[in-house]
């Protein structure tokens, strides 16, 4: 008897390290990877107009620190998450953390998700993704 599961980042490499067979991995399918964004209401942004700029500055500084000190990041992540160090390294390659706020690849992934949600009628209607993106101020 076998059980097939889709495992989240962290869990998949942990199960693999325990000897469970891996049928496929998302890393082999770049269009299936995810991206993360922060969403805020227009009302909130009106009250805190400098939030996007400050948040992006903090994220950029954190990514630069992670890139400069990857072993310290991995140790911290392993300590906080409880995952073994080798599982954290397999699950969270440093290359997955972009310095730019929303790289082109992230926008493409969001467009794919939006198209899926619209096609499945899980979104009420189609919309322009750029209408939701706060541009980086210099």
């Amino acid at each position: 008897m076998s059980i097939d599961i889709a495992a989240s980042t962290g869990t998949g490499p942990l199960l693999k390290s325990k000897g469970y067979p891996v049928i496929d991995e998302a890393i082999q399918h770049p269009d299936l990877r995810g991206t993360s964004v922060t969403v805020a209401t227009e009302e909130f942004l009106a009250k805190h107009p400098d939030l996007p700029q400050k948040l992006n500055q903090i994220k950029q500084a954190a990514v630069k620190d992670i890139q400069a000190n990857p072993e310290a990041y991995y140790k911290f992540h392993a300590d906080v998450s409880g995952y073994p160090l080798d599982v954290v390294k397999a699950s969270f390659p440093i290359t997955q953390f972009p310095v730019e706020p929303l790289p082109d690849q992230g926008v493409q992934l969001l467009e794919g998700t939006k198209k899926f949600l619209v096609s499945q009628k899980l979104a009420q209607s189609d919309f322009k993704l750029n209408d939701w993106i706060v541009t980086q101020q210099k």
Side-chain angles (χ1 to χ4, degrees):
M1 179 176 166
S2 69
I3 298 174
D4 299 329
I5 66 165
S8 61
T9 303
T11 304
L14 180 62
L15 293 173
K16 182 179 179 179
S17 75
K18 293 180 182 258
Y20 289 90
V22 175
I23 297 169
D24 202 1
E25 294 182 84
I27 198 165
Q28 302 302 323
H29 309 277
D31 57 325
L32 294 180
R33 288 184 282 177
T35 193
S36 296
V37 294
T38 302
V39 178
T41 64
E42 289 181 21
E43 179 183 356
F44 184 86
L45 289 174
K47 292 178 184 174
H48 309 281
D50 58 343
L51 178 72
Q53 178 75 14
K54 287 183 179 181
L55 185 59
N56 285 334
Q57 289 172 346
I58 291 167
K59 279 181 58 183
Q60 287 172 329
V63 169
K64 288 177 182 178
D65 187 51
I66 287 170
Q67 291 172 341
N69 304 292
E71 291 306 314
Y73 162 74
Y74 285 132
K75 182 181 180 326
F76 169 78
H77 193 133
D79 290 346
V80 171
S81 69
Y83 283 120
L85 187 60
D86 61 328
V87 169
V88 172
K89 286 182 176 185
S91 298
F92 303 97
I94 300 302
T95 56
Q96 83 171 11
F97 302 114
V99 173
E100 60 272 19
L102 185 57
D104 291 341
Q105 183 181 22
V107 174
Q108 290 171 358
L109 291 167
L110 289 171
E111 281 289 347
T113 300
K114 180 185 70 130
K115 286 178 185 177
F116 171 79
L117 294 172
V118 169
S119 74
Q120 298 300 306
K121 303 195 183 336
L122 297 170
Q124 291 180 358
S125 63
D126 200 355
F127 56 91
K128 293 180 183 174
L129 195 58
N130 281 337
D131 290 347
W132 288 60
I133 298 173
V134 177
T135 57
Q136 178 77 13
Q137 299 172 356
K138 300 281 180 184

